[in-house]
């Protein structure tokens, strides 16, 4: 039984534009906090830049 709809977001390096992975978020959690508030200050290692860089998120649309 599904527990709620989640949206898939792709992570991209802010400097090089390299794709770094995906994350799944609820559009809004129980406290009314949106996904953008969860990803503020998110950093991830980029193999192209060879350092931890800021990440940009872009929503991916998947059809079932």
């Amino acid at each position: 039984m599904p527990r709620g709809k989640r949206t898939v977001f792709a992570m991209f390096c802010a400097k090089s534009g390299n794709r770094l992975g995906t994350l799944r978020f609820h559009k809004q959690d129980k406290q009314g906090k949106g996904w953008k508030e969860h990803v503020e200050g998110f950093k991830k290692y980029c193999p192209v830049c060879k350092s931890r860089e800021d990440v940009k998120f872009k929503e991916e649309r998947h059809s079932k």
Side-chain angles (χ1 to χ4, degrees):
M1 177 161 55
R3 298 285 179 202
K5 294 198 174 201
R6 291 186 291 178
T7 305
V8 178
F9 292 91
M11 295 184 285
F12 295 94
C13 175
K15 196 181 278 185
S16 68
N18 186 37
R19 185 187 169 103
L20 301 175
T22 58
L23 275 178
R24 301 173 108 205
F25 286 109
H26 287 280
K27 288 277 191 170
Q28 208 170 28
D29 65 5
K30 291 179 183 175
Q31 290 82 27
K33 194 173 181 183
W35 68 271
K36 286 186 179 180
E37 294 170 325
H38 284 289
V39 299
E40 286 179 1
F42 197 87
K43 291 184 180 268
K44 192 157 174 70
Y45 178 78
C46 177
V48 174
C49 301
K50 296 187 177 166
S51 62
R52 286 175 56 89
E53 297 295 335
D54 289 327
V55 176
K56 288 187 177 181
F57 286 82
K58 188 188 294 184
E59 184 177 339
E60 288 188 336
R61 301 198 182 266
H62 295 288
S63 59
K64 288 189 175 186

